[in-house]
Amino acid sequence: MSDPLDLAHRQGLPGEWLALRDRFPRSRWGEAGLNPVAAHWLQMHAGFRHHGDHMTGLTTAFRADPANPRGLHAQLIPALQAFLQHLDGHHRIESGHYFPVFRQMEPDIAAGIDLLDRDHDAVHGHLQALFEAGRGFHMAVAGNAPDAASPAHRLADAFDAALPSLTRHLDDEEDIVIPLIALKGDGIR
Protein backbone atom coordinates (compact mmCIF):
# COMPACT_ATOMS: atom_id res chain seq x y z
CA MET A 1 0.00 0.00 0.00
CA SER A 2 1.28 3.46 -0.85
CA ASP A 3 1.94 6.15 1.72
CA PRO A 4 -1.18 8.34 1.99
CA LEU A 5 1.08 11.34 2.64
CA ASP A 6 3.11 10.77 -0.52
CA LEU A 7 2.65 13.82 -2.73
CA ALA A 8 1.41 11.79 -5.68
CA HIS A 9 -1.41 10.25 -3.61
CA ARG A 10 -2.14 12.79 -0.88
CA GLN A 11 -5.65 14.19 -0.67
CA GLY A 12 -4.89 16.65 2.11
CA LEU A 13 -3.08 16.93 5.41
CA PRO A 14 -3.73 15.28 8.77
CA GLY A 15 -5.85 17.38 11.08
CA GLU A 16 -3.14 17.82 13.71
CA TRP A 17 -1.11 19.83 11.19
CA LEU A 18 -4.07 22.09 10.42
CA ALA A 19 -4.74 23.42 13.92
CA LEU A 20 -3.29 26.82 13.03
CA ARG A 21 -5.32 26.96 9.83
CA ASP A 22 -8.42 26.26 11.89
CA ARG A 23 -7.54 29.34 13.95
CA PHE A 24 -6.71 31.41 10.86
CA PRO A 25 -8.78 29.94 7.97
CA ARG A 26 -8.35 30.70 4.28
CA SER A 27 -11.39 32.96 4.39
CA ARG A 28 -9.31 35.44 6.43
CA TRP A 29 -6.14 35.37 4.31
CA GLY A 30 -7.22 38.28 2.16
CA GLU A 31 -7.61 40.60 5.14
CA ALA A 32 -5.73 43.85 5.27
CA GLY A 33 -2.81 43.61 7.62
CA LEU A 34 -1.74 40.09 6.64
CA ASN A 35 1.90 39.62 7.54
CA PRO A 36 3.93 40.83 4.51
CA VAL A 37 5.85 37.55 4.30
CA ALA A 38 2.59 35.58 4.21
CA ALA A 39 1.15 37.95 1.61
CA HIS A 40 4.29 37.57 -0.52
CA TRP A 41 4.14 33.78 -0.14
CA LEU A 42 0.56 33.75 -1.43
CA GLN A 43 1.54 36.05 -4.29
CA MET A 44 4.39 33.74 -5.30
CA HIS A 45 2.13 30.70 -5.22
CA ALA A 46 -0.50 32.53 -7.27
CA GLY A 47 2.21 33.23 -9.83
CA PHE A 48 3.13 29.54 -10.04
CA ARG A 49 -0.51 28.60 -10.50
CA HIS A 50 -0.92 31.27 -13.17
CA HIS A 51 2.17 30.07 -15.05
CA GLY A 52 0.97 26.48 -14.81
CA ASP A 53 -2.46 27.43 -16.17
CA HIS A 54 -0.87 29.47 -18.97
CA MET A 55 1.42 26.63 -20.05
CA THR A 56 -1.39 24.09 -19.79
CA GLY A 57 -3.51 26.33 -22.00
CA LEU A 58 -0.73 26.43 -24.58
CA THR A 59 -0.28 22.66 -24.59
CA THR A 60 -4.04 22.04 -24.67
CA ALA A 61 -4.41 24.32 -27.70
CA PHE A 62 -1.49 22.55 -29.37
CA ARG A 63 -3.00 19.13 -28.76
CA ALA A 64 -6.22 20.32 -30.40
CA ASP A 65 -4.29 21.63 -33.43
CA PRO A 66 -0.73 20.24 -33.55
CA ALA A 67 0.15 21.77 -36.91
CA ASN A 68 2.45 24.49 -35.52
CA PRO A 69 5.06 23.17 -33.09
CA ARG A 70 7.28 26.17 -33.85
CA GLY A 71 4.52 28.54 -32.65
CA LEU A 72 4.14 26.52 -29.46
CA HIS A 73 7.89 26.59 -28.98
CA ALA A 74 8.04 30.38 -29.27
CA GLN A 75 5.51 30.78 -26.45
CA LEU A 76 6.10 27.77 -24.24
CA ILE A 77 9.87 27.45 -23.95
CA PRO A 78 10.48 30.96 -22.50
CA ALA A 79 7.55 30.46 -20.10
CA LEU A 80 8.89 27.06 -19.07
CA GLN A 81 12.39 28.42 -18.45
CA ALA A 82 11.07 31.19 -16.20
CA PHE A 83 8.77 28.77 -14.37
CA LEU A 84 11.51 26.23 -13.69
CA GLN A 85 14.02 28.82 -12.49
CA HIS A 86 11.52 30.65 -10.32
CA LEU A 87 10.11 27.52 -8.68
CA ASP A 88 13.54 26.02 -8.05
CA GLY A 89 14.75 29.24 -6.42
CA HIS A 90 11.59 29.51 -4.34
CA HIS A 91 12.03 25.97 -3.02
CA ARG A 92 15.69 26.55 -2.21
CA ILE A 93 14.78 29.58 -0.08
CA GLU A 94 11.99 27.71 1.67
CA SER A 95 14.08 24.62 2.45
CA GLY A 96 17.24 26.50 3.30
CA HIS A 97 15.84 29.40 5.29
CA TYR A 98 12.16 29.35 6.16
CA PHE A 99 11.50 25.70 6.98
CA PRO A 100 14.22 25.50 9.67
CA VAL A 101 12.82 28.68 11.25
CA PHE A 102 9.26 27.32 11.13
CA ARG A 103 10.26 24.04 12.79
CA GLN A 104 11.60 26.00 15.75
CA MET A 105 8.64 28.40 15.87
CA GLU A 106 6.05 25.64 16.10
CA PRO A 107 7.50 22.22 17.02
CA ASP A 108 4.00 20.68 17.04
CA ILE A 109 3.86 20.91 13.25
CA ALA A 110 7.51 20.10 12.54
CA ALA A 111 6.39 16.83 10.92
CA GLY A 112 4.23 18.83 8.53
CA ILE A 113 7.16 21.08 7.66
CA ASP A 114 9.30 17.98 7.11
CA LEU A 115 6.64 16.65 4.74
CA LEU A 116 6.63 19.90 2.78
CA ASP A 117 10.41 19.72 2.56
CA ARG A 118 10.19 16.14 1.22
CA ASP A 119 7.61 17.35 -1.29
CA HIS A 120 10.30 19.57 -2.76
CA ASP A 121 12.22 16.46 -3.76
CA ALA A 122 9.17 15.04 -5.54
CA VAL A 123 8.43 18.37 -7.21
CA HIS A 124 12.08 18.61 -8.25
CA GLY A 125 11.70 15.25 -10.01
CA HIS A 126 8.84 16.75 -12.00
CA LEU A 127 10.87 19.89 -12.71
CA GLN A 128 13.68 17.71 -14.03
CA ALA A 129 11.23 15.83 -16.26
CA LEU A 130 9.86 19.14 -17.55
CA PHE A 131 13.38 20.39 -18.22
CA GLU A 132 14.32 17.23 -20.13
CA ALA A 133 11.09 17.24 -22.15
CA GLY A 134 11.49 20.97 -22.83
CA ARG A 135 15.05 20.49 -23.96
CA GLY A 136 13.99 17.66 -26.27
CA PHE A 137 11.27 19.83 -27.77
CA HIS A 138 13.65 22.76 -28.16
CA MET A 139 16.26 20.61 -29.87
CA ALA A 140 13.66 19.22 -32.27
CA VAL A 141 12.42 22.69 -33.24
CA ALA A 142 15.91 24.20 -33.40
CA GLY A 143 17.03 21.30 -35.60
CA ASN A 144 13.98 21.60 -37.86
CA ALA A 145 13.03 18.01 -37.07
CA PRO A 146 10.07 16.89 -39.15
CA ASP A 147 8.53 15.19 -36.11
CA ALA A 148 8.78 18.14 -33.67
CA ALA A 149 5.16 17.50 -32.68
CA SER A 150 6.19 14.29 -30.91
CA PRO A 151 8.48 15.97 -28.37
CA ALA A 152 5.87 18.71 -27.97
CA HIS A 153 3.36 16.04 -26.95
CA ARG A 154 5.89 14.54 -24.53
CA LEU A 155 6.33 17.98 -22.95
CA ALA A 156 2.55 18.33 -22.67
CA ASP A 157 2.43 14.91 -20.97
CA ALA A 158 5.13 16.05 -18.54
CA PHE A 159 2.96 19.05 -17.63
CA ASP A 160 0.00 16.76 -17.09
CA ALA A 161 2.09 14.66 -14.71
CA ALA A 162 3.67 17.58 -12.83
CA LEU A 163 0.93 20.11 -12.23
CA PRO A 164 -1.41 18.06 -9.99
CA SER A 165 1.44 17.31 -7.58
CA LEU A 166 2.63 20.90 -7.65
CA THR A 167 -0.89 22.17 -6.96
CA ARG A 168 -1.33 19.74 -4.08
CA HIS A 169 2.00 20.88 -2.62
CA LEU A 170 1.14 24.57 -2.94
CA ASP A 171 -2.25 24.05 -1.28
CA ASP A 172 -0.83 22.00 1.57
CA GLU A 173 2.10 24.34 2.08
CA GLU A 174 -0.25 27.29 2.35
CA ASP A 175 -2.44 25.44 4.84
CA ILE A 176 0.55 25.04 7.16
CA VAL A 177 2.71 28.08 6.44
CA ILE A 178 0.29 30.98 5.99
CA PRO A 179 -1.47 30.55 9.36
CA LEU A 180 1.89 29.95 11.06
CA ILE A 181 3.31 33.19 9.69
CA ALA A 182 0.10 35.12 10.30
CA LEU A 183 -0.31 33.98 13.90
CA LYS A 184 3.28 33.59 15.07
CA GLY A 185 5.51 35.23 12.49
CA ASP A 186 6.25 38.63 13.91
CA GLY A 187 9.80 39.42 12.91
CA ILE A 188 10.03 36.83 10.11
CA ARG A 189 11.79 38.07 7.00
Side-chain angles (χ1 to χ4, degrees):
M1 183 173 158
S2 64
D3 179 1
L5 293 178
D6 180 72
L7 183 59
H9 304 103
R10 190 165 69 228
Q11 298 297 311
L13 295 170
E16 62 267 19
W17 297 345
L18 300 175
L20 293 176
R21 190 202 60 195
D22 293 344
R23 288 178 41 208
F24 192 74
R26 282 184 178 261
S27 62
R28 293 184 48 204
W29 293 3
E31 294 177 357
L34 183 64
N35 179 298
V37 174
H40 181 70
W41 208 290
L42 290 172
Q43 182 182 25
M44 296 287 287
H45 283 194
F48 295 134
R49 289 181 180 101
H50 174 76
H51 277 129
D53 291 346
H54 171 70
M55 292 184 292
T56 297
L58 293 172
T59 58
T60 299
F62 177 77
R63 283 177 166 158
D65 183 12
N68 186 8
R70 188 167 292 283
L72 175 66
H73 179 274
Q75 293 180 318
L76 184 57
I77 294 301
L80 176 61
Q81 287 175 315
F83 179 77
L84 294 175
Q85 289 172 343
H86 197 184
L87 189 56
D88 182 61
H90 180 71
H91 282 177
R92 288 177 189 272
I93 291 167
E94 288 175 344
S95 290
H97 174 69
Y98 286 106
F99 287 174
V101 170
F102 295 161
R103 283 181 189 99
Q104 290 181 341
M105 282 175 55
E106 188 61 35
D108 290 345
I109 60 169
I113 299 296
D114 291 344
L115 178 73
L116 297 174
D117 211 7
R118 283 192 309 274
D119 283 357
H120 287 176
D121 294 334
V123 169
H124 182 78
H126 286 296
L127 297 182
Q128 187 64 36
L130 285 168
F131 172 78
E132 294 295 333
R135 184 176 65 183
F137 177 45
H138 173 70
M139 297 301 288
V141 170
N144 292 314
D147 67 339
S150 292
H153 286 291
R154 284 192 290 278
L155 179 53
D157 291 344
F159 276 113
D160 290 347
L163 292 180
S165 290
L166 176 60
T167 299
R168 171 85 271 152
H169 170 71
L170 295 174
D171 290 346
D172 291 346
E173 187 173 278
E174 289 168 359
D175 281 343
I176 290 175
V177 167
I178 300 305
L180 176 62
I181 296 171
L183 296 171
K184 299 184 175 215
D186 290 339
I188 284 192
R189 300 194 192 287

